[in-house]
Amino acid sequence: MALLSKKDTSLILDPLSDNNPITIQVLGICSALAITAELKASIVMSISVLFVMGMGNVVISLMRNIIPSKIRIIVQLVVVATLVIIVDQVLKAFAYELSKTLSVFVGLIITNCIIMGRFEAFALANGTWRSFLDGIGNAAGYGVILIIIGFFRELLGSGTLLGYKVLGDPIAKTGLYAIGYENNGFMLLSPMALIVVGLIIWVQRSRNKDLIEEN
Amino acid sequence: MAFDTEKNSYTVIFAAIMVVIVGSLLAFMASSLSDRISENERLEKQQNILYAMGVNENGDDEGSVNFVSTSTVAGEFNKYITEQLIIEGEEVTKDENAYLIDLKKEETRAKAGEVRRLPLFIGEKDGQKYYIIPMRGKGLWDAIWGFMSLDENMVVQGVFFDHAGETPGLGANINQRYFMDDFIGESVLSGSRYVGVAVTKGNNDPTNERKDDNAVDALAGSTITGDGVTAMIRETLKLYKPYLETIRVKN
């Protein structure tokens, strides 16, 4: 890849595993709890964050030399809020039904700490192209975790994936339900998202011991 | 660097310019997309009204709400909704755009002492008439609204509820089938009084077998949203009572 130097590649790939925003940096937990009861919402949220994060990092990086340091947090907030409103309006105009299911959650992107975290930690100090890659990488790392959690919560909680009944029909007792399987309603509640995140962290750290923090 | 970014004057000027740029960008976005958005909302309203009278694509699917698709809804709306009325006090007029009346604005007009315009839609399907009443009320966080269709005996034939921002997983579930379907078959009359259908806790009827108790089982964890639905139905019926009395079959 001529377009991406070694450093650039690591900007994209690191957040996917060894520097994941959710499991390692522990950012963005709140939205990971709120919206992952269904796989579809997780996917759409990931795409929206990908857009807001990529664009936001570019805008902040372009302005990094002219932003007054006294109000830099406010400037960052304004940039995120603007991008989020644009996403919201575009969804309302072109994907109305989707925007209805996401209603509250699109607004939640503003409060997503990953975005502010990356603005502050990376985009303010780095060039535009790198900031873009960093934004995309971190949003993807966030998205991967979101989709994993959404997958398990929807599968175990509702017995469906993207709305399709993959385990059979719980009312008509077909498929797995015929042999006595039951959906675990617990999976639909937010605390279970935290437990799933915990399991992911466990798996990740036992595979790569370097990630274990020293006390 | 040409500017001294630490100076107060620079900070103020920067903030001012930023606000102007962002403001005009958002204003431009909003005005260029507003036509599409309001068209989407109009179609949604037609879908909701048809849903309340049982014109939908639920089929055998027992779990989810399936509206008539947006591409066909305009035609279906004209086919099933035979009359649209506006009730102003004693006066009843026909108006084929009655469904576009903004209930919130009418509420404000009523508060200002003017006569409130009450829209009502009459649908016909398989020879049966449906009287569909739009309603609007308050939930826990924000507005809730809905449509309820009645027959001549004042028995609910279907409802559709929706909300602006109730708690996801709790109050937000008023737009789910397992809540809305419970209303079907309930009467809004108790004797000859318009009492509506209450959302109650502990009515010992979780599967909604009793259809004569003017009550449906509440959603767990959403007391205030449920009370909001109860109040919305009761208050709306008060407004429509004079008209409903003229169509009610008395026996």
Side-chain angles (χ1 to χ4, degrees):
Chain A
M1 280 199 275
L3 196 59
L4 301 172
S5 69
K6 208 172 168 202
K7 173 100 198 300
D8 292 345
T9 328
S10 73
L11 280 178
I12 290 207
L13 294 183
D14 277 0
L16 289 179
S17 58
D18 289 353
N19 196 18
N20 189 283
I22 294 185
T23 60
I24 309 294
Q25 302 173 32
V26 202
L27 293 172
I29 291 287
C30 10
S31 52
L33 302 189
I35 59 151
T36 48
E38 284 172 345
L39 186 54
K40 188 173 144 202
S42 310
I43 293 174
V44 177
M45 182 74 170
S46 305
I47 295 171
S48 311
V49 169
L50 200 70
F51 170 80
V52 172
M53 191 100 168
M55 293 289 290
N57 257 7
V58 167
V59 173
I60 292 289
S61 169
L62 281 175
M63 301 201 305
R64 71 186 184 281
N65 290 326
I66 59 165
I67 294 175
S69 59
K70 284 173 199 152
I71 57 165
R72 67 176 197 287
I73 301 278
I74 299 175
V75 175
Q76 290 166 11
L77 269 177
V78 170
V79 171
V80 190
T82 312
L83 289 169
V84 166
I85 294 172
I86 291 174
V87 170
D88 189 39
Q89 295 276 316
V90 169
L91 281 179
K92 271 200 184 125
F94 297 101
Y96 190 69
E97 279 172 27
L98 200 60
S99 85
K100 288 218 65 153
T101 46
L102 280 178
S103 58
V104 202
F105 306 130
V106 173
L108 275 179
I109 298 177
I110 299 179
T111 63
N112 194 325
C113 17
I114 297 178
I115 295 178
M116 296 291 286
R118 293 326 291 171
F119 283 3
E120 184 78 11
F122 199 92
L124 273 178
N126 285 281
T128 315
W129 174 238
R130 292 224 161 134
S131 299
F132 177 71
L133 294 179
D134 178 76
I136 297 289
N138 275 282
Y142 167 81
V144 164
I145 301 293
L146 227 61
I147 290 169
I148 294 174
I149 305 172
F151 176 84
F152 284 111
R153 286 183 73 191
E154 186 173 347
L155 183 68
L156 301 176
S158 318
T160 58
L161 281 178
L162 294 171
Y164 294 103
K165 294 180 176 132
V166 288
L167 299 183
D169 193 320
I171 297 164
K173 299 272 177 222
T174 59
L176 267 186
Y177 299 98
I179 53 171
Y181 175 80
E182 291 283 344
N183 285 328
N184 185 351
F186 240 2
M187 291 302 289
L188 296 177
L189 303 176
S190 319
M192 287 310 287
L194 202 55
I195 291 174
V196 176
V197 174
L199 291 174
I200 295 174
I201 293 178
W202 181 18
V203 169
Q204 197 181 13
R205 277 169 216 224
S206 52
R207 285 184 52 204
N208 182 355
K209 302 265 192 247
D210 294 342
L211 295 175
I212 301 172
E213 293 91 350
E214 298 288 331
N215 287 322
Chain B
M1 252 344 286
F3 311 106
D4 177 5
T5 55
E6 291 301 314
K7 265 168 74 178
N8 282 346
S9 56
Y10 177 78
T11 306
V12 171
I13 293 169
F14 183 92
I17 294 175
M18 177 181 73
V19 168
V20 171
I21 293 176
V22 169
S24 36
L25 177 70
L26 289 182
F28 172 74
M29 282 284 299
S31 57
S32 54
L33 291 177
S34 71
D35 285 349
R36 265 180 167 278
I37 294 176
S38 57
E39 173 68 7
N40 283 338
E41 285 168 352
R42 193 177 66 82
L43 292 178
E44 187 199 8
K45 227 170 179 179
Q46 294 190 337
Q47 286 176 321
N48 291 173
I49 292 171
L50 288 176
Y51 186 90
M53 67 173 279
V55 179
N56 51 46
E57 290 173 6
N58 281 345
D60 295 332
D61 185 352
E62 295 197 354
S64 54
V65 171
N66 301 292
F67 296 118
V68 179
S69 81
T70 41
S71 50
T72 55
V73 68
E76 300 280 293
F77 191 77
N78 289 334
K79 181 173 146 201
Y80 286 107
I81 302 295
T82 49
E83 272 181 69
Q84 298 190 47
L85 306 177
I86 299 178
I87 306 163
E88 286 177 276
E90 298 281 292
E91 210 176 314
V92 179
T93 47
K94 286 187 193 179
D95 184 332
E96 59 183 34
N97 282 323
Y99 74 101
L100 294 176
I101 288 178
D102 186 340
L103 297 184
K104 193 175 169 194
K105 283 187 186 148
E106 295 306 314
E107 234 165 75
T108 324
R109 275 169 61 134
K111 271 184 201 147
E114 291 175 54
V115 181
R116 183 180 186 139
R117 293 186 300 164
L118 301 171
L120 184 130
F121 323 112
I122 302 180
E124 213 171 319
K125 190 179 73 169
D126 304 331
Q128 196 193 337
K129 274 194 166 184
Y130 296 84
Y131 298 87
I132 304 160
I133 302 172
M135 46 184 68
R136 188 184 165 87
K138 283 195 210 71
L140 171 60
W141 305 111
D142 208 328
I144 54 175
W145 59 89
F147 299 91
M148 175 181 262
S149 70
L150 300 171
D151 66 1
E152 283 96 345
N153 296 315
M154 298 298 121
V155 171
V156 178
Q157 301 299 307
V159 293
F160 181 79
F161 295 121
D162 210 346
H163 62 94
E166 296 308 292
T167 321
L170 301 173
N173 288 347
I174 58 169
N175 61 12
Q176 298 294 312
R177 286 282 299 282
Y178 61 82
F179 180 68
M180 297 194 295
D181 287 359
D182 278 1
F183 284 80
I184 299 171
E186 294 281 346
S187 170
V188 299
L189 288 178
S190 170
S192 61
R193 285 184 314 124
Y194 286 80
V195 293
V197 179
V199 178
T200 54
K201 292 188 278 186
N203 66 340
N204 290 330
D205 186 20
T207 49
N208 200 40
E209 315 259 312
R210 290 204 308 272
K211 292 293 184 186
D212 53 359
D213 58 356
N214 302 105
V216 295
D217 196 42
L219 291 169
S222 54
T223 307
I224 296 178
T225 310
D227 288 350
V229 172
T230 308
M232 170 170 81
I233 296 173
R234 197 181 51 228
E235 296 305 314
T236 307
L237 284 172
K238 259 186 211 164
L239 298 170
Y240 282 88
K241 184 183 167 190
Y243 179 80
L244 293 177
E245 276 298 293
T246 64
I247 53 169
R248 179 162 76 94
V249 178
K250 301 194 174 76
N251 42 17

